[in-house]
Amino acid sequence: MSVLVLAGIGLLTGLTTVLFGFGGGFVTVPVIVWADARLGADAAHVAVATSAVVMIFNACVATVATDRAVLSLLRRSKPLLALLAAGGAIGALATRWTPAFVTQWAFVAYLVATIVDVLVRPGFLHRRAESAVTGSGRGEEAGRIRATLGIPIGATASFLGVGGSVMTVPLLRRLGHDMRTATTLANPLTLAVATPALVLFGAENAGSPASAGVFLYGPVDLGAAAALLAGALPVIVVMRRRPPRISDWLHAWSYLALLVLVTATMAVLSLGDA
């Protein structure tokens, strides 16, 4: 039954990858904490590592299927991508020495802060017309995330297992992008964060035997990752070919609603482990 549930959640991560730029970590961390609760305190660490696997596959497929014109907005962002990768490695290393309960509650705290931020500060729920990106020239320059933010974004995202979209989408939104562009660009940025994190996670005790009925490769739950990807990848391919039509306003509010839902879910799971 848990495999079917995970596949169903995988379908949801496919939807969130396309609609919100979430490669999977945003949804999969609390789900894997629940599915691997029998691992006790190690469940959060396994969830973050498994999330990196799901994110990198989802983000890779979504990026390959993305319109080249949209990806061209990142053509001058090599320094940012490099620093995101460096930050991703730092965050992955930090999780190895951090107690699981700290990771769980840090995840909740960050999402709460993000919810407050998008509600209180202008520029996310209602994009101001004067800040809109034109797609070329000065507008393109203004619409890029500063490279110096790469390390803090990458480190925080990798440490929490959220991939980076929870940070980059609000940033891109306030830089003037509409929701469709902001969420689309979040996928290649997620790849930059998740790839080094995945390499480091995979290096931890590779080939670990099953633990409490969970088959682990290092700290990665291979069964959960496979079930999640089986549900997600077909959805990503189909939705990239036939993207849904949704107003920018509704898109932004749906993003916020999902933030609230996942925050509440993770808080409940964390309280249950206390």
Side-chain angles (χ1 to χ4, degrees):
M1 181 62 70
S2 62
V3 173
L4 293 177
V5 171
L6 287 170
I9 296 298
L11 187 150
L12 176 60
T13 68
L15 292 172
T16 62
T17 297
V18 175
L19 292 177
F20 305 112
F22 304 141
F26 184 69
V27 176
T28 57
V29 168
V31 169
I32 297 170
V33 167
W34 162 77
D36 289 345
R38 55 191 178 278
L39 295 177
D42 292 331
H45 185 44
V46 169
V48 171
T50 306
S51 165
V53 174
V54 175
M55 283 189 293
I56 201 167
F57 277 94
N58 284 354
C60 184
V61 171
T63 299
V64 169
T66 295
D67 187 339
R68 301 300 102 178
V70 176
L71 289 179
S72 70
L73 294 172
L74 295 176
R75 65 176 175 267
R76 297 181 183 176
S77 298
K78 289 181 181 179
L80 171 64
L81 296 174
L83 291 175
L84 282 171
I90 292 170
L93 288 172
T95 61
R96 299 173 67 174
W97 313 109
T98 305
F101 77 92
V102 173
T103 304
Q104 286 181 256
W105 283 110
F107 183 94
V108 173
Y110 184 80
L111 293 185
V112 169
T114 302
I115 291 168
V116 172
D117 179 68
V118 301
L119 283 171
V120 173
R121 282 208 296 157
F124 181 83
L125 292 176
H126 302 281
R127 186 171 62 123
R128 290 171 292 188
E130 65 269 22
S131 68
V133 171
T134 63
S136 62
R138 184 180 176 185
E140 183 180 334
E141 288 292 324
R144 296 209 315 267
I145 297 173
R146 284 180 295 153
T148 52
L149 295 176
I151 287 182
I153 289 175
T156 304
S158 179
F159 179 75
L160 299 179
V162 295
S165 54
V166 179
M167 287 179 253
T168 57
V169 170
L171 274 173
L172 289 164
R173 178 73 166 163
R174 289 197 176 92
L175 289 171
H177 293 286
D178 59 28
M179 281 296 293
R180 176 170 292 185
T181 301
T183 55
T184 299
L185 291 177
N187 286 307
L189 297 178
T190 290
L191 274 178
V193 173
T195 300
L198 177 61
V199 171
L200 289 170
F201 285 136
E204 295 184 36
N205 303 316
S208 298
S211 175
V214 179
F215 185 77
L216 302 175
Y217 184 85
V220 176
D221 182 343
L222 292 180
L228 288 163
L229 289 170
L233 297 182
V235 174
I236 294 171
V237 172
V238 171
M239 290 188 67
R240 273 289 185 245
R241 291 179 178 176
R242 298 182 179 179
R245 295 181 180 274
I246 180 171
S247 71
D248 193 67
W249 177 87
L250 180 58
H251 204 164
W253 276 99
S254 299
Y255 181 99
L256 175 60
L258 189 57
L259 279 174
V260 172
L261 176 61
V262 175
T263 303
T265 301
M266 193 64 177
V268 170
L269 290 171
S270 298
L271 287 171
D273 292 338

